Amino acid sequence: MILSPPVLALQAGAAASSGFLLVALRWAAPVVRRWDPASGSRAQLRLERRALLVGVLVRTALAVQLASLALFVHASDALAPMFTGAMCAAGTLSASRYGWPALAVQVAATVLAGAWLALDRADGLAPDQPLVRVKHALLPAVAIPVVAGAALQAAHFLALRPEIITSCCGSLFGREGRGGWAGLAWLPPRAAGALLVALPGAAALAALALRRTGRGASAVAALSGLAGPAAAAGVIAWLSPYVYEAPGHRCPFCLLQPEQGWVGYPLHAAVLVGCVAGVAVGVLQPFRRVPSLAGPLPALQRRLAGAAALAWTALLAGAAALVAASGLRA
């Protein structure tokens, strides 16, 4: 294992958040089975105190998870000079068989964490907290990916050795590359660019329509969920060459380098925020029928839709600015 401040911080955060979630899972089961807000019994009072503590533990753990994804990518990028063949985070992730799975699981865990936090926020808006049982029942769907991501991350860092010879991003995202990443890299550029514009643009328009009319939550969630992969494909196959001004360089991680002005951070953050906020809008939709949430829940959905629209619009504006500033012409 390579010891560095980012790695140690990641491991400490992952251990803490996993521990919090495992404790919360153990305490959540009685809440799901025996929660009765109409009861004034001593057992119900204990459950209410336990639910409050579970909420604090889960919110803390998921906040750590939201920060951990960015730190994991940053740490992978910072470790790249230690490995022969690595030029950026892509090489570090390829230095063990756990690197890419850890990244994929952490991305999924982050989206699920954002959706659960939106559900928790909605529950706190009503005086009777009508979603206590629901959010505790859904806790395993969030906790399991977070804990799995922490385990894969630990396995990845434990497997790293300075003598490892790894693959550079040129081979991973080149014509000779194998696997899904190579497939994304060599999508037809015009088609990938069309996806990058069309789906995030449609998600932004749907989110703006929801803010005006209060309708279309399912469309916002579906389009935002599709816009994430479409944006990833567009950034890799179409936008990256404009940034590097090199048609054959299609790595999304080199966008995080200072030589490129760290433009990858706002681009990737916009995709993640758009996905999380847009999906959360749809997750909340079934609970609009709850009487105590009839007023506050639509307002929360509108705020989330506004965040999604802003994120997708920022992605499109950033992509347009990068293409306009590039010396590369198709």
Side-chain angles (χ1 to χ4, degrees), residues 184 192-201 223-240 252 255 267-268 270-272 275 312 315-316 319:
L184 285 179
L195 284 175
L196 175 61
V197 173
L199 282 172
L223 288 169
S224 294
L226 293 172
V235 168
I236 292 171
W238 178 71
L239 182 60
S240 291
L255 296 173
L267 287 176
H268 300 332
V271 174
L272 191 62
C275 280
W312 294 127
L315 171 68
L316 295 176

Side-chain angles (χ1 to χ4, degrees), residues 67 85-86 92 105 124 142 145 156-157 179 192 211-212 227-228 234 281 330:
T92 304
V105 172
V142 182
H156 171 60
F157 286 129
R211 280 185 60 84
R212 290 194 302 269
V281 169

Side-chain angles (χ1 to χ4, degrees), residues 59 113-132 134-135 280-304:
R59 284 190 290 271
W116 193 94
L117 289 171
L119 194 64
D120 179 65
R121 174 60 179 160
D123 187 48
L125 294 175
D128 58 343
Q129 293 186 301
L131 304 182
V132 168
V134 172
K135 68 184 186 182
V281 169
V283 169
L284 295 176
Q285 182 63 17
F287 306 105
R288 291 184 66 158
R289 301 187 185 94
V290 177
S292 59
L293 290 175
L297 191 56
L300 177 59
Q301 286 182 297
R302 284 187 172 92
R303 289 196 295 273
L304 288 168

Side-chain angles (χ1 to χ4, degrees), residues 92-270:
T92 304
L93 293 170
S94 300
S96 88
R97 59 179 177 173
Y98 305 106
W100 291 105
L103 178 62
V105 172
Q106 290 219 29
V107 170
T110 299
V111 175
L112 291 170
W116 193 94
L117 289 171
L119 194 64
D120 179 65
R121 174 60 179 160
D123 187 48
L125 294 175
D128 58 343
Q129 293 186 301
L131 304 182
V132 168
R133 183 171 283 168
V134 172
K135 68 184 186 182
H136 282 74
L138 292 176
L139 186 55
V142 182
I144 291 172
V146 172
V147 174
L152 287 168
Q153 174 186 282
H156 171 60
F157 286 129
L158 286 169
L160 295 182
R161 298 289 185 273
E163 64 271 15
I164 290 175
I165 299 176
T166 185
S167 302
C168 72
C169 57
S171 62
L172 289 170
F173 297 96
R175 290 188 182 275
E176 302 302 321
R178 296 180 180 179
W181 293 110
L184 285 179
W186 292 104
L187 285 173
R190 290 178 184 242
L195 284 175
L196 175 61
V197 173
L199 282 172
L205 290 174
L208 290 173
L210 185 143
R211 280 185 60 84
R212 290 194 302 269
T213 67
R215 296 190 295 271
S218 298
V220 174
L223 288 169
S224 294
L226 293 172
V235 168
I236 292 171
W238 178 71
L239 182 60
S240 291
Y242 282 100
V243 178
Y244 306 130
E245 299 185 359
H249 193 181
R250 303 191 175 202
C251 173
F253 295 102
C254 286
L255 296 173
L256 308 175
Q257 299 289 331
E259 292 83 1
Q260 312 303 331
W262 297 285
V263 297
Y265 285 105
L267 287 176
H268 300 332

Side-chain angles (χ1 to χ4, degrees), residues 17 60-70 105-107 109-110 113 145-146 149-150:
S17 60
T60 302
L62 297 188
V64 171
Q65 171 61 35
L66 295 178
S68 292
L69 176 60
V105 172
Q106 290 219 29
V107 170
T110 299
V146 172

